[in-house]
Amino acid sequence: MMVLIGRWWDFYRLFVGTWNVGGKSPHWGLNLTDWLGTPSPADIYVLGFQEIVPLNAGNVLGAEDNGPAAKWLTLIQRALNINTNDPQFPHYLTNATNSELEQSPPASSTQNDCSEEVELNQESSFEPSLSSNSNSNSSEEGSPSAPCRSMKLASPKQQHQFCLAASKQMVGIFLSVWVRSDFNRYISNLKVSRVGRGLMGFLGNKGSIAISMTLHQTTFCFVCTHLASGEKEGDEVKRNSDVMEILKKTKFSHPCRVAGEPVPPESILDHDNVIWLGDLNYRLASNYWDTHELLQKNDWQALLEKDQLRIEQKAGHVFKGWEEGGIYFAPTYKYVANSDHYVIQTSSPKQKQRTPAWCDRILWKGEGLKQMWYVRGESKFSDHKPVCSLFSVQVNVANKNNPKPVCSNTPVSSTIAASLPPSRQPIVLSGVVKVQAEELLLHTMAQSCIQSTPMFSSTAQKVTSPIGV
């Protein structure tokens, strides 16, 4: 801990990951440790997805399909807390593809790294515990509490536990925030806001989900986006416009405020630290032959000179004042499914060409953030490669031993939670606060999906034509 001008500061590790999964629902053997693995565990995990469902008319215009999101939560839970004593662990390894296992760190090393961080005197367990919270900074209308999915990493002497602080879905965009369970009591002002930028300029096949929260005395905003697609000249202007509209329209309401506490942020740029992640869809301003030649040479720096995002940012058209780390990895899009080959390398002249590009990015804004690394994963599950970054975060921990006071309103009962038998009712944990009534978090629905239906089915789903992928 460090003291600066009468303030106490701590440094935490923040892991940020983004992945466009191409409308594919995950299978039980999908190994996420290549994407989520770190030399030592982070304190906070911010994980954003795009296209967790196919972007067809049924999903864009119809009822939201929460099934894939619930599956991703289960897989994330398992990846963050690999338990070699779990009876399902050998089955998990058997069903993972060889390439995924080769890219993944040994489970034992992940386990030991985690266990060095926190010692919890609890029995070894891998069963999730869904919990809700009675403390709240909610709107006057009331809103459901944010249940906490507890996750434990077992070892002979120690365990490490994480909690799902928040998650939200909008069609194919899905954002979740996971924190160490001992952080719960220091989280407040948890809010979420969605902006649709797809069909007709407002539907959710493109757009953003933003989650706002306060950790101790420091505010954070995590913005997961899927911007306008297309390789035609001028499509980058649409993406710039999406960014501007998201910055303008994302609002966090705080009708319940605590006397003597700072006014919580109401917009993205009001926060101390902002992370912007997702499939930003910026392409390369380069022709096929130039791109192909540079790809053959692995000359990423020459290719990056043609990167639309860097060109637009340098010209002051978008993300002015934002930072992005150096890119020393290959373009993340577009790959042939289940391979390491770009579509452009295998397609015939008659097929639709997709020039490789760094569509998947992580940017940040804030003086308290320092990027430690910025890499991509190598999973072959999607036509995009996952991208992740690890940050060191400086947090103001004034009054560390006393959690920030929060407004306490009686939560509106969830019909799904109320319908569960007593044995499945959420367990109350303190610290995680509620969100705006008009922006319900996914937890309760995800809980229902996890507990009442098979998580992974062998039944194939029909996929119809996507809309503006």
mmCIF file of all heavy atoms in Angstrom, residues 14-19 32-39 45-48 275 277-278 324-329 332 360-364 371-378 385-391:
data_model
loop_
_atom_site.group_PDB
_atom_site.id
_atom_site.type_symbol
_atom_site.label_atom_id
_atom_site.label_comp_id
_atom_site.label_asym_id
_atom_site.label_seq_id
_atom_site.Cartn_x
_atom_site.Cartn_y
_atom_site.Cartn_z
ATOM 1 N N LEU A 14 -5.998 -6.134 -13.031
ATOM 2 C CA LEU A 14 -7.259 -6.159 -13.759
ATOM 3 C C LEU A 14 -7.041 -6.878 -15.089
ATOM 4 O O LEU A 14 -6.242 -6.437 -15.915
ATOM 5 C CB LEU A 14 -7.751 -4.727 -14.001
ATOM 6 C CG LEU A 14 -8.922 -4.527 -14.968
ATOM 7 C CD1 LEU A 14 -10.190 -5.174 -14.422
ATOM 8 C CD2 LEU A 14 -9.150 -3.035 -15.221
ATOM 9 N N PHE A 15 -7.751 -7.977 -15.285
ATOM 10 C CA PHE A 15 -7.672 -8.733 -16.532
ATOM 11 C C PHE A 15 -8.870 -8.352 -17.398
ATOM 12 O O PHE A 15 -10.011 -8.355 -16.938
ATOM 13 C CB PHE A 15 -7.698 -10.235 -16.241
ATOM 14 C CG PHE A 15 -7.624 -11.114 -17.471
ATOM 15 C CD1 PHE A 15 -6.424 -11.684 -17.867
ATOM 16 C CD2 PHE A 15 -8.761 -11.371 -18.230
ATOM 17 C CE1 PHE A 15 -6.358 -12.502 -18.983
ATOM 18 C CE2 PHE A 15 -8.704 -12.181 -19.349
ATOM 19 C CZ PHE A 15 -7.505 -12.745 -19.729
ATOM 20 N N VAL A 16 -8.600 -8.032 -18.672
ATOM 21 C CA VAL A 16 -9.659 -7.667 -19.612
ATOM 22 C C VAL A 16 -9.547 -8.567 -20.833
ATOM 23 O O VAL A 16 -8.453 -8.711 -21.410
ATOM 24 C CB VAL A 16 -9.551 -6.190 -20.040
ATOM 25 C CG1 VAL A 16 -10.670 -5.838 -21.015
ATOM 26 C CG2 VAL A 16 -9.606 -5.270 -18.820
ATOM 27 N N GLY A 17 -10.660 -9.188 -21.227
ATOM 28 C CA GLY A 17 -10.653 -10.058 -22.393
ATOM 29 C C GLY A 17 -11.848 -9.797 -23.288
ATOM 30 O O GLY A 17 -12.934 -9.456 -22.809
ATOM 31 N N THR A 18 -11.652 -9.935 -24.593
ATOM 32 C CA THR A 18 -12.741 -9.773 -25.552
ATOM 33 C C THR A 18 -12.647 -10.870 -26.599
ATOM 34 O O THR A 18 -11.553 -11.271 -27.011
ATOM 35 C CB THR A 18 -12.705 -8.386 -26.218
ATOM 36 O OG1 THR A 18 -13.782 -8.287 -27.177
ATOM 37 C CG2 THR A 18 -11.401 -8.129 -26.943
ATOM 38 N N TRP A 19 -13.837 -11.355 -27.044
ATOM 39 C CA TRP A 19 -13.860 -12.460 -27.998
ATOM 40 C C TRP A 19 -15.170 -12.433 -28.779
ATOM 41 O O TRP A 19 -16.253 -12.484 -28.184
ATOM 42 C CB TRP A 19 -13.714 -13.782 -27.267
ATOM 43 C CG TRP A 19 -13.363 -14.955 -28.135
ATOM 44 C CD1 TRP A 19 -13.075 -14.950 -29.473
ATOM 45 C CD2 TRP A 19 -13.241 -16.323 -27.714
ATOM 46 N NE1 TRP A 19 -12.780 -16.215 -29.916
ATOM 47 C CE2 TRP A 19 -12.879 -17.080 -28.856
ATOM 48 C CE3 TRP A 19 -13.410 -16.972 -26.501
ATOM 49 C CZ2 TRP A 19 -12.683 -18.456 -28.796
ATOM 50 C CZ3 TRP A 19 -13.212 -18.337 -26.444
ATOM 51 C CH2 TRP A 19 -12.848 -19.065 -27.577
ATOM 52 N N LEU A 32 -10.880 -22.588 -21.870
ATOM 53 C CA LEU A 32 -10.677 -21.137 -21.852
ATOM 54 C C LEU A 32 -9.380 -20.724 -21.174
ATOM 55 O O LEU A 32 -9.105 -19.518 -21.075
ATOM 56 C CB LEU A 32 -11.856 -20.459 -21.135
ATOM 57 C CG LEU A 32 -13.244 -20.642 -21.745
ATOM 58 C CD1 LEU A 32 -14.261 -19.799 -20.983
ATOM 59 C CD2 LEU A 32 -13.259 -20.271 -23.216
ATOM 60 N N THR A 33 -8.597 -21.676 -20.714
ATOM 61 C CA THR A 33 -7.408 -21.291 -19.951
ATOM 62 C C THR A 33 -6.355 -20.608 -20.817
ATOM 63 O O THR A 33 -5.545 -19.829 -20.314
ATOM 64 C CB THR A 33 -6.784 -22.505 -19.251
ATOM 65 O OG1 THR A 33 -6.550 -23.537 -20.219
ATOM 66 C CG2 THR A 33 -7.700 -23.034 -18.171
ATOM 67 N N ASP A 34 -6.358 -20.898 -22.127
ATOM 68 C CA ASP A 34 -5.430 -20.189 -23.018
ATOM 69 C C ASP A 34 -5.744 -18.698 -23.018
ATOM 70 O O ASP A 34 -4.852 -17.857 -23.051
ATOM 71 C CB ASP A 34 -5.556 -20.754 -24.428
ATOM 72 C CG ASP A 34 -4.905 -19.853 -25.467
ATOM 73 O OD1 ASP A 34 -3.716 -19.554 -25.296
ATOM 74 O OD2 ASP A 34 -5.583 -19.450 -26.432
ATOM 75 N N TRP A 35 -7.015 -18.379 -22.957
ATOM 76 C CA TRP A 35 -7.454 -16.983 -22.983
ATOM 77 C C TRP A 35 -7.339 -16.328 -21.610
ATOM 78 O O TRP A 35 -6.880 -15.195 -21.491
ATOM 79 C CB TRP A 35 -8.900 -16.942 -23.479
ATOM 80 C CG TRP A 35 -9.498 -15.580 -23.624
ATOM 81 C CD1 TRP A 35 -8.880 -14.437 -24.041
ATOM 82 C CD2 TRP A 35 -10.857 -15.222 -23.367
ATOM 83 N NE1 TRP A 35 -9.766 -13.393 -24.062
ATOM 84 C CE2 TRP A 35 -10.992 -13.849 -23.650
ATOM 85 C CE3 TRP A 35 -11.969 -15.935 -22.940
ATOM 86 C CZ2 TRP A 35 -12.209 -13.170 -23.508
ATOM 87 C CZ3 TRP A 35 -13.185 -15.263 -22.812
ATOM 88 C CH2 TRP A 35 -13.285 -13.896 -23.090
ATOM 89 N N LEU A 36 -7.732 -17.039 -20.568
ATOM 90 C CA LEU A 36 -7.836 -16.443 -19.245
ATOM 91 C C LEU A 36 -6.615 -16.694 -18.364
ATOM 92 O O LEU A 36 -6.500 -16.107 -17.296
ATOM 93 C CB LEU A 36 -9.085 -16.984 -18.519
ATOM 94 C CG LEU A 36 -10.415 -16.786 -19.240
ATOM 95 C CD1 LEU A 36 -11.550 -17.358 -18.401
ATOM 96 C CD2 LEU A 36 -10.669 -15.316 -19.543
ATOM 97 N N GLY A 37 -5.727 -17.556 -18.805
ATOM 98 C CA GLY A 37 -4.591 -17.892 -17.962
ATOM 99 C C GLY A 37 -3.600 -16.749 -17.837
ATOM 100 O O GLY A 37 -3.300 -16.048 -18.795
ATOM 101 N N THR A 38 -3.088 -16.542 -16.623
ATOM 102 C CA THR A 38 -2.062 -15.534 -16.355
ATOM 103 C C THR A 38 -1.002 -16.155 -15.458
ATOM 104 O O THR A 38 -1.271 -17.145 -14.771
ATOM 105 C CB THR A 38 -2.656 -14.296 -15.643
ATOM 106 O OG1 THR A 38 -3.232 -14.706 -14.386
ATOM 107 C CG2 THR A 38 -3.733 -13.644 -16.490
ATOM 108 N N PRO A 39 0.221 -15.607 -15.462
ATOM 109 C CA PRO A 39 1.255 -16.145 -14.575
ATOM 110 C C PRO A 39 0.815 -16.168 -13.118
ATOM 111 O O PRO A 39 1.197 -17.048 -12.368
ATOM 112 C CB PRO A 39 2.425 -15.184 -14.790
ATOM 113 C CG PRO A 39 2.211 -14.641 -16.165
ATOM 114 C CD PRO A 39 0.730 -14.517 -16.323
ATOM 115 N N TYR A 45 -11.715 -9.681 -13.222
ATOM 116 C CA TYR A 45 -11.777 -10.153 -14.605
ATOM 117 C C TYR A 45 -12.967 -9.494 -15.294
ATOM 118 O O TYR A 45 -14.097 -9.602 -14.819
ATOM 119 C CB TYR A 45 -11.936 -11.676 -14.664
ATOM 120 C CG TYR A 45 -10.699 -12.446 -14.281
ATOM 121 C CD1 TYR A 45 -10.386 -12.676 -12.935
ATOM 122 C CD2 TYR A 45 -9.833 -12.941 -15.239
ATOM 123 C CE1 TYR A 45 -9.251 -13.380 -12.569
ATOM 124 C CE2 TYR A 45 -8.686 -13.648 -14.894
ATOM 125 C CZ TYR A 45 -8.405 -13.854 -13.555
ATOM 126 O OH TYR A 45 -7.265 -14.557 -13.204
ATOM 127 N N VAL A 46 -12.695 -8.807 -16.397
ATOM 128 C CA VAL A 46 -13.739 -8.177 -17.208
ATOM 129 C C VAL A 46 -13.734 -8.896 -18.554
ATOM 130 O O VAL A 46 -12.760 -8.802 -19.310
ATOM 131 C CB VAL A 46 -13.477 -6.672 -17.395
ATOM 132 C CG1 VAL A 46 -14.544 -6.045 -18.287
ATOM 133 C CG2 VAL A 46 -13.414 -5.972 -16.041
ATOM 134 N N LEU A 47 -14.806 -9.617 -18.854
ATOM 135 C CA LEU A 47 -14.841 -10.490 -20.025
ATOM 136 C C LEU A 47 -16.010 -10.111 -20.925
ATOM 137 O O LEU A 47 -17.173 -10.171 -20.512
ATOM 138 C CB LEU A 47 -14.963 -11.948 -19.588
ATOM 139 C CG LEU A 47 -13.878 -12.421 -18.606
ATOM 140 C CD1 LEU A 47 -14.134 -13.847 -18.174
ATOM 141 C CD2 LEU A 47 -12.493 -12.269 -19.211
ATOM 142 N N GLY A 48 -15.685 -9.707 -22.140
ATOM 143 C CA GLY A 48 -16.699 -9.285 -23.089
ATOM 144 C C GLY A 48 -16.757 -10.219 -24.288
ATOM 145 O O GLY A 48 -15.717 -10.661 -24.787
ATOM 146 N N ILE A 275 -12.307 1.258 -19.522
ATOM 147 C CA ILE A 275 -11.784 0.236 -20.436
ATOM 148 C C ILE A 275 -12.811 0.045 -21.553
ATOM 149 O O ILE A 275 -13.984 -0.198 -21.288
ATOM 150 C CB ILE A 275 -11.561 -1.109 -19.727
ATOM 151 C CG1 ILE A 275 -10.606 -0.955 -18.538
ATOM 152 C CG2 ILE A 275 -11.058 -2.146 -20.720
ATOM 153 C CD1 ILE A 275 -9.166 -0.800 -18.911
ATOM 154 N N LEU A 277 -13.564 -2.298 -24.788
ATOM 155 C CA LEU A 277 -13.159 -3.566 -25.372
ATOM 156 C C LEU A 277 -14.202 -4.049 -26.366
ATOM 157 O O LEU A 277 -15.347 -3.614 -26.332
ATOM 158 C CB LEU A 277 -12.984 -4.619 -24.268
ATOM 159 C CG LEU A 277 -14.231 -4.953 -23.429
ATOM 160 C CD1 LEU A 277 -14.235 -6.438 -23.063
ATOM 161 C CD2 LEU A 277 -14.276 -4.103 -22.147
ATOM 162 N N GLY A 278 -13.797 -4.937 -27.265
ATOM 163 C CA GLY A 278 -14.780 -5.542 -28.143
ATOM 164 C C GLY A 278 -14.305 -5.718 -29.570
ATOM 165 O O GLY A 278 -13.137 -5.500 -29.903
ATOM 166 N N GLU A 324 -3.854 2.692 -26.358
ATOM 167 C CA GLU A 324 -3.848 1.265 -26.681
ATOM 168 C C GLU A 324 -2.409 0.795 -26.652
ATOM 169 O O GLU A 324 -1.498 1.504 -27.101
ATOM 170 C CB GLU A 324 -4.459 0.987 -28.054
ATOM 171 C CG GLU A 324 -4.514 -0.509 -28.375
ATOM 172 C CD GLU A 324 -5.038 -0.820 -29.766
ATOM 173 O OE1 GLU A 324 -4.995 0.071 -30.633
ATOM 174 O OE2 GLU A 324 -5.480 -1.968 -29.982
ATOM 175 N N GLY A 325 -2.198 -0.390 -26.139
ATOM 176 C CA GLY A 325 -0.856 -0.927 -26.048
ATOM 177 C C GLY A 325 -0.306 -1.315 -27.410
ATOM 178 O O GLY A 325 -1.030 -1.379 -28.414
ATOM 179 N N GLY A 326 0.989 -1.565 -27.454
ATOM 180 C CA GLY A 326 1.603 -2.020 -28.690
ATOM 181 C C GLY A 326 1.079 -3.385 -29.111
ATOM 182 O O GLY A 326 0.866 -4.267 -28.278
ATOM 183 N N ILE A 327 0.842 -3.536 -30.400
ATOM 184 C CA ILE A 327 0.328 -4.804 -30.937
ATOM 185 C C ILE A 327 1.493 -5.580 -31.552
ATOM 186 O O ILE A 327 2.103 -5.127 -32.527
ATOM 187 C CB ILE A 327 -0.775 -4.547 -31.980
ATOM 188 C CG1 ILE A 327 -1.986 -3.895 -31.298
ATOM 189 C CG2 ILE A 327 -1.180 -5.841 -32.667
ATOM 190 C CD1 ILE A 327 -3.108 -3.536 -32.258
ATOM 191 N N TYR A 328 1.775 -6.737 -30.976
ATOM 192 C CA TYR A 328 2.864 -7.579 -31.464
ATOM 193 C C TYR A 328 2.341 -8.985 -31.779
ATOM 194 O O TYR A 328 3.069 -9.965 -31.642
ATOM 195 C CB TYR A 328 3.989 -7.635 -30.429
ATOM 196 C CG TYR A 328 4.548 -6.276 -30.112
ATOM 197 C CD1 TYR A 328 4.179 -5.604 -28.949
ATOM 198 C CD2 TYR A 328 5.431 -5.646 -30.990
ATOM 199 C CE1 TYR A 328 4.680 -4.336 -28.668
ATOM 200 C CE2 TYR A 328 5.933 -4.387 -30.703
ATOM 201 C CZ TYR A 328 5.548 -3.732 -29.542
ATOM 202 O OH TYR A 328 6.039 -2.483 -29.266
ATOM 203 N N PHE A 329 1.089 -9.049 -32.183
ATOM 204 C CA PHE A 329 0.483 -10.322 -32.536
ATOM 205 C C PHE A 329 -0.227 -10.186 -33.880
ATOM 206 O O PHE A 329 -0.511 -9.084 -34.344
ATOM 207 C CB PHE A 329 -0.494 -10.793 -31.447
ATOM 208 C CG PHE A 329 -1.504 -9.761 -31.016
ATOM 209 C CD1 PHE A 329 -2.700 -9.574 -31.701
ATOM 210 C CD2 PHE A 329 -1.270 -8.973 -29.888
ATOM 211 C CE1 PHE A 329 -3.633 -8.643 -31.294
ATOM 212 C CE2 PHE A 329 -2.204 -8.029 -29.463
ATOM 213 C CZ PHE A 329 -3.385 -7.865 -30.171
ATOM 214 N N THR A 332 -6.441 -10.651 -35.836
ATOM 215 C CA THR A 332 -7.316 -11.596 -35.130
ATOM 216 C C THR A 332 -8.501 -12.078 -35.955
ATOM 217 O O THR A 332 -9.283 -12.910 -35.486
ATOM 218 C CB THR A 332 -7.837 -10.933 -33.848
ATOM 219 O OG1 THR A 332 -8.536 -9.717 -34.181
ATOM 220 C CG2 THR A 332 -6.684 -10.605 -32.906
ATOM 221 N N ASP A 360 -10.421 -6.935 -33.099
ATOM 222 C CA ASP A 360 -10.675 -7.129 -31.669
ATOM 223 C C ASP A 360 -9.636 -6.361 -30.854
ATOM 224 O O ASP A 360 -8.448 -6.682 -30.886
ATOM 225 C CB ASP A 360 -10.641 -8.622 -31.367
ATOM 226 C CG ASP A 360 -11.519 -9.394 -32.345
ATOM 227 O OD1 ASP A 360 -12.738 -9.425 -32.147
ATOM 228 O OD2 ASP A 360 -10.963 -9.937 -33.334
ATOM 229 N N ARG A 361 -10.109 -5.368 -30.102
ATOM 230 C CA ARG A 361 -9.180 -4.415 -29.474
ATOM 231 C C ARG A 361 -9.570 -4.112 -28.028
ATOM 232 O O ARG A 361 -10.719 -4.290 -27.608
ATOM 233 C CB ARG A 361 -9.156 -3.103 -30.268
ATOM 234 C CG ARG A 361 -9.037 -3.265 -31.778
ATOM 235 C CD ARG A 361 -7.652 -3.709 -32.196
ATOM 236 N NE ARG A 361 -6.736 -2.593 -32.295
ATOM 237 C CZ ARG A 361 -6.492 -1.930 -33.437
ATOM 238 N NH1 ARG A 361 -7.118 -2.263 -34.565
ATOM 239 N NH2 ARG A 361 -5.613 -0.947 -33.461
ATOM 240 N N ILE A 362 -8.591 -3.592 -27.297
ATOM 241 C CA ILE A 362 -8.798 -3.117 -25.926
ATOM 242 C C ILE A 362 -8.103 -1.769 -25.789
ATOM 243 O O ILE A 362 -6.889 -1.669 -25.988
ATOM 244 C CB ILE A 362 -8.235 -4.121 -24.904
ATOM 245 C CG1 ILE A 362 -8.952 -5.476 -25.014
ATOM 246 C CG2 ILE A 362 -8.362 -3.562 -23.483
ATOM 247 C CD1 ILE A 362 -8.310 -6.579 -24.188
ATOM 248 N N LEU A 363 -8.871 -0.737 -25.469
ATOM 249 C CA LEU A 363 -8.337 0.606 -25.248
ATOM 250 C C LEU A 363 -8.678 1.052 -23.831
ATOM 251 O O LEU A 363 -9.572 0.489 -23.191
ATOM 252 C CB LEU A 363 -8.902 1.603 -26.262
ATOM 253 C CG LEU A 363 -8.499 1.436 -27.726
ATOM 254 C CD1 LEU A 363 -9.416 0.444 -28.437
ATOM 255 C CD2 LEU A 363 -8.533 2.780 -28.453
ATOM 256 N N TRP A 364 -7.992 2.066 -23.359
ATOM 257 C CA TRP A 364 -8.288 2.546 -22.017
ATOM 258 C C TRP A 364 -8.045 4.044 -21.904
ATOM 259 O O TRP A 364 -7.370 4.663 -22.715
ATOM 260 C CB TRP A 364 -7.456 1.801 -20.981
ATOM 261 C CG TRP A 364 -6.013 2.198 -20.877
ATOM 262 C CD1 TRP A 364 -5.466 3.147 -20.061
ATOM 263 C CD2 TRP A 364 -4.904 1.648 -21.623
ATOM 264 N NE1 TRP A 364 -4.104 3.222 -20.240
ATOM 265 C CE2 TRP A 364 -3.740 2.314 -21.187
ATOM 266 C CE3 TRP A 364 -4.794 0.659 -22.603
ATOM 267 C CZ2 TRP A 364 -2.481 2.029 -21.701
ATOM 268 C CZ3 TRP A 364 -3.535 0.367 -23.125
ATOM 269 C CH2 TRP A 364 -2.407 1.041 -22.670
ATOM 270 N N GLN A 371 -0.821 -0.712 -18.424
ATOM 271 C CA GLN A 371 -0.915 -1.997 -19.093
ATOM 272 C C GLN A 371 0.363 -2.809 -18.890
ATOM 273 O O GLN A 371 1.464 -2.306 -19.102
ATOM 274 C CB GLN A 371 -1.187 -1.809 -20.584
ATOM 275 C CG GLN A 371 -1.545 -3.099 -21.305
ATOM 276 C CD GLN A 371 -1.864 -2.889 -22.764
ATOM 277 O OE1 GLN A 371 -1.027 -2.379 -23.512
ATOM 278 N NE2 GLN A 371 -3.062 -3.247 -23.179
ATOM 279 N N MET A 372 0.181 -4.070 -18.504
ATOM 280 C CA MET A 372 1.321 -4.951 -18.268
ATOM 281 C C MET A 372 1.601 -5.824 -19.486
ATOM 282 O O MET A 372 2.760 -6.098 -19.789
ATOM 283 C CB MET A 372 1.059 -5.812 -17.032
ATOM 284 C CG MET A 372 0.823 -4.978 -15.775
ATOM 285 S SD MET A 372 0.306 -5.948 -14.336
ATOM 286 C CE MET A 372 1.813 -6.825 -13.972
ATOM 287 N N TRP A 373 0.535 -6.287 -20.161
ATOM 288 C CA TRP A 373 0.713 -6.963 -21.437
ATOM 289 C C TRP A 373 -0.589 -6.966 -22.219
ATOM 290 O O TRP A 373 -1.670 -6.725 -21.688
ATOM 291 C CB TRP A 373 1.286 -8.370 -21.306
ATOM 292 C CG TRP A 373 0.734 -9.285 -20.246
ATOM 293 C CD1 TRP A 373 1.311 -9.605 -19.061
ATOM 294 C CD2 TRP A 373 -0.486 -10.052 -20.301
ATOM 295 N NE1 TRP A 373 0.541 -10.493 -18.367
ATOM 296 C CE2 TRP A 373 -0.568 -10.788 -19.108
ATOM 297 C CE3 TRP A 373 -1.502 -10.185 -21.231
ATOM 298 C CZ2 TRP A 373 -1.631 -11.644 -18.810
ATOM 299 C CZ3 TRP A 373 -2.572 -11.034 -20.946
ATOM 300 C CH2 TRP A 373 -2.622 -11.752 -19.755
ATOM 301 N N TYR A 374 -0.456 -7.238 -23.533
ATOM 302 C CA TYR A 374 -1.560 -7.167 -24.488
ATOM 303 C C TYR A 374 -1.306 -8.259 -25.521
ATOM 304 O O TYR A 374 -0.372 -8.149 -26.320
ATOM 305 C CB TYR A 374 -1.553 -5.775 -25.128
ATOM 306 C CG TYR A 374 -2.710 -5.411 -26.029
ATOM 307 C CD1 TYR A 374 -3.971 -5.981 -25.903
ATOM 308 C CD2 TYR A 374 -2.536 -4.434 -27.012
ATOM 309 C CE1 TYR A 374 -5.026 -5.595 -26.730
ATOM 310 C CE2 TYR A 374 -3.577 -4.032 -27.831
ATOM 311 C CZ TYR A 374 -4.823 -4.615 -27.692
ATOM 312 O OH TYR A 374 -5.861 -4.221 -28.505
ATOM 313 N N VAL A 375 -2.094 -9.322 -25.493
ATOM 314 C CA VAL A 375 -1.821 -10.494 -26.326
ATOM 315 C C VAL A 375 -3.125 -11.046 -26.892
ATOM 316 O O VAL A 375 -4.219 -10.606 -26.539
ATOM 317 C CB VAL A 375 -1.099 -11.606 -25.528
ATOM 318 C CG1 VAL A 375 0.251 -11.126 -25.019
ATOM 319 C CG2 VAL A 375 -1.964 -12.075 -24.357
ATOM 320 N N ARG A 376 -3.000 -12.034 -27.754
ATOM 321 C CA ARG A 376 -4.164 -12.749 -28.256
ATOM 322 C C ARG A 376 -4.050 -14.222 -27.878
ATOM 323 O O ARG A 376 -2.954 -14.743 -27.644
ATOM 324 C CB ARG A 376 -4.283 -12.601 -29.769
ATOM 325 C CG ARG A 376 -3.331 -13.467 -30.563
ATOM 326 C CD ARG A 376 -3.631 -13.441 -32.050
ATOM 327 N NE ARG A 376 -3.188 -14.687 -32.701
ATOM 328 C CZ ARG A 376 -3.413 -14.996 -33.954
ATOM 329 N NH1 ARG A 376 -4.053 -14.138 -34.736
ATOM 330 N NH2 ARG A 376 -3.018 -16.143 -34.451
ATOM 331 N N GLY A 377 -5.202 -14.897 -27.832
ATOM 332 C CA GLY A 377 -5.228 -16.331 -27.619
ATOM 333 C C GLY A 377 -5.237 -17.055 -28.955
ATOM 334 O O GLY A 377 -5.371 -16.436 -30.014
ATOM 335 N N GLU A 378 -5.133 -18.366 -28.912
ATOM 336 C CA GLU A 378 -5.023 -19.154 -30.138
ATOM 337 C C GLU A 378 -6.122 -20.198 -30.299
ATOM 338 O O GLU A 378 -5.972 -21.148 -31.052
ATOM 339 C CB GLU A 378 -3.654 -19.828 -30.201
ATOM 340 C CG GLU A 378 -2.492 -18.861 -30.242
ATOM 341 C CD GLU A 378 -2.546 -17.905 -31.422
ATOM 342 O OE1 GLU A 378 -3.065 -18.295 -32.488
ATOM 343 O OE2 GLU A 378 -2.089 -16.748 -31.276
ATOM 344 N N LYS A 385 -9.870 -14.563 -33.182
ATOM 345 C CA LYS A 385 -9.044 -14.985 -32.056
ATOM 346 C C LYS A 385 -9.373 -14.103 -30.851
ATOM 347 O O LYS A 385 -9.598 -12.893 -30.991
ATOM 348 C CB LYS A 385 -7.556 -14.859 -32.387
ATOM 349 C CG LYS A 385 -7.088 -15.730 -33.548
ATOM 350 C CD LYS A 385 -7.233 -17.212 -33.256
ATOM 351 C CE LYS A 385 -6.644 -18.048 -34.390
ATOM 352 N NZ LYS A 385 -6.827 -19.503 -34.164
ATOM 353 N N PRO A 386 -9.410 -14.689 -29.649
ATOM 354 C CA PRO A 386 -9.642 -13.865 -28.461
ATOM 355 C C PRO A 386 -8.445 -12.973 -28.169
ATOM 356 O O PRO A 386 -7.313 -13.294 -28.526
ATOM 357 C CB PRO A 386 -9.847 -14.900 -27.355
ATOM 358 C CG PRO A 386 -9.108 -16.102 -27.833
ATOM 359 C CD PRO A 386 -9.225 -16.104 -29.333
ATOM 360 N N VAL A 387 -8.698 -11.852 -27.522
ATOM 361 C CA VAL A 387 -7.650 -10.891 -27.157
ATOM 362 C C VAL A 387 -7.785 -10.591 -25.673
ATOM 363 O O VAL A 387 -8.894 -10.550 -25.127
ATOM 364 C CB VAL A 387 -7.774 -9.599 -27.994
ATOM 365 C CG1 VAL A 387 -6.843 -8.512 -27.478
ATOM 366 C CG2 VAL A 387 -7.481 -9.886 -29.461
ATOM 367 N N CYS A 388 -6.663 -10.385 -25.005
ATOM 368 C CA CYS A 388 -6.718 -10.058 -23.585
ATOM 369 C C CYS A 388 -5.581 -9.127 -23.195
ATOM 370 O O CYS A 388 -4.579 -8.997 -23.905
ATOM 371 C CB CYS A 388 -6.684 -11.320 -22.729
ATOM 372 S SG CYS A 388 -5.239 -12.350 -22.971
ATOM 373 N N SER A 389 -5.770 -8.477 -22.070
ATOM 374 C CA SER A 389 -4.773 -7.541 -21.552
ATOM 375 C C SER A 389 -4.801 -7.587 -20.033
ATOM 376 O O SER A 389 -5.850 -7.818 -19.423
ATOM 377 C CB SER A 389 -5.061 -6.119 -22.040
ATOM 378 O OG SER A 389 -4.082 -5.221 -21.564
ATOM 379 N N LEU A 390 -3.650 -7.384 -19.434
ATOM 380 C CA LEU A 390 -3.553 -7.314 -17.980
ATOM 381 C C LEU A 390 -3.090 -5.916 -17.592
ATOM 382 O O LEU A 390 -2.125 -5.393 -18.165
ATOM 383 C CB LEU A 390 -2.566 -8.359 -17.453
ATOM 384 C CG LEU A 390 -2.473 -8.473 -15.924
ATOM 385 C CD1 LEU A 390 -3.776 -9.016 -15.344
ATOM 386 C CD2 LEU A 390 -1.307 -9.380 -15.520
ATOM 387 N N PHE A 391 -3.801 -5.314 -16.647
ATOM 388 C CA PHE A 391 -3.487 -3.966 -16.180
ATOM 389 C C PHE A 391 -3.132 -3.987 -14.701
ATOM 390 O O PHE A 391 -3.664 -4.781 -13.925
ATOM 391 C CB PHE A 391 -4.687 -3.032 -16.362
ATOM 392 C CG PHE A 391 -5.058 -2.752 -17.784
ATOM 393 C CD1 PHE A 391 -5.963 -3.573 -18.448
ATOM 394 C CD2 PHE A 391 -4.513 -1.678 -18.473
ATOM 395 C CE1 PHE A 391 -6.329 -3.329 -19.763
ATOM 396 C CE2 PHE A 391 -4.866 -1.421 -19.790
ATOM 397 C CZ PHE A 391 -5.778 -2.246 -20.438
#
